[in-house]
Amino acid sequence: MDTKKAALFGLLGLALGFVLGYGSGRVSTGTPLNPIAPGAGRTDLADVERRLNESGVLPPAPTETEALSGAAVSVDGMRLTFDADLQGFDPLGSRGLQVRRVAETDASTIIVLLEEKSPEELEAEQAAFAAAAGDETAPPPAPPSPYKEVPITLAEIVPGDSVIVQSDADILTASTFKAVRVTVARQATAAAPDQVLPPPAP
């Protein structure tokens, strides 16, 4: 291939790259090819959220829940104040859900702290799990967790503890509610949230 042909192919490649790049930019900045781009005169957040829902990019956010996770802020008597993690319920922040919540407890509220099991406890449970798993006549057992639940009082919760607060009613929009169970994880154990605090049920 001579020098003129090489230069010509180079220019064609640059031109093609420009066209493709421009087209991609148009798609990402608002042409009808973009399923989440606001239409003419519709640039509000609600419109973007509607388009996201219609496009299937985001799964539908739950509209109610009986459990919220978050971080403890303070304890005052029988009341736990915490900041709820609402990302799964309001990913775009358009629903105006309140972050700061107050959970009221009483003598019937179950409050537990997750602690790591000792090597001996875990080994014994793993042996029992292996034996149960080999029994084809029984339903498959759940694998043992590396953590155990230790009952504590509300006063033992400290700011920064990870908590899951559960109620027996929908609390998605409730600023204050009655808690039936509080599960607590210290900062040290909260490093592995998928193993320590399961996500609240929608």
Side-chain angles (χ1 to χ4, degrees):
M1 180 181 294
D2 58 29
T3 305
K4 289 185 178 180
K5 286 185 178 180
L8 180 60
F9 280 120
L11 289 174
L12 288 174
L14 287 174
L16 181 60
F18 174 79
V19 171
L20 291 176
Y22 177 76
S24 298
R26 291 281 292 170
V27 168
S28 65
T29 55
T31 66
L33 293 176
N34 186 348
I36 65 172
R42 298 289 302 279
T43 59
D44 55 284
L45 183 59
D47 184 55
V48 173
E49 184 173 19
R50 179 184 64 80
R51 289 170 180 271
L52 279 171
N53 291 333
E54 290 176 354
S55 69
V57 174
L58 292 178
T63 57
E64 59 181 42
T65 183
E66 294 183 357
L68 288 171
S69 64
V73 173
S74 64
V75 172
D76 180 16
M78 300 296 287
R79 294 158 64 95
L80 167 66
T81 300
F82 70 103
D83 285 340
D85 178 5
L86 301 171
Q87 184 64 35
F89 301 100
D90 189 15
L92 296 180
S94 61
R95 300 171 70 176
L97 297 178
Q98 183 175 333
V99 173
R100 184 64 52 89
R101 306 294 181 103
V102 176
E104 299 179 335
T105 68
D106 58 25
S108 67
T109 304
I110 299 171
I111 307 173
V112 295
L113 172 67
L114 295 180
E115 289 187 353
E116 287 190 36
K117 294 175 182 174
S118 68
E120 294 76 17
E121 289 174 318
L122 195 54
E123 184 178 353
E125 290 189 6
Q126 287 173 339
F129 170 74
D135 184 0
E136 297 181 356
T137 63
S145 167
Y147 300 94
K148 60 184 176 182
E149 296 181 349
V150 179
I152 61 171
T153 64
L154 189 68
E156 294 177 75
I157 299 177
V158 298
D161 281 346
S162 296
V163 295
I164 285 184
V165 186
Q166 296 172 261
S167 181
D168 55 5
D170 175 30
I171 57 174
L172 183 58
T173 60
S175 58
T176 301
F177 59 89
K178 167 67 170 62
V180 297
R181 179 183 174 92
V182 180
T183 305
V184 184
R186 301 287 187 218
Q187 290 293 338
T189 54
D194 57 326
Q195 297 179 355
V196 179
L197 290 179

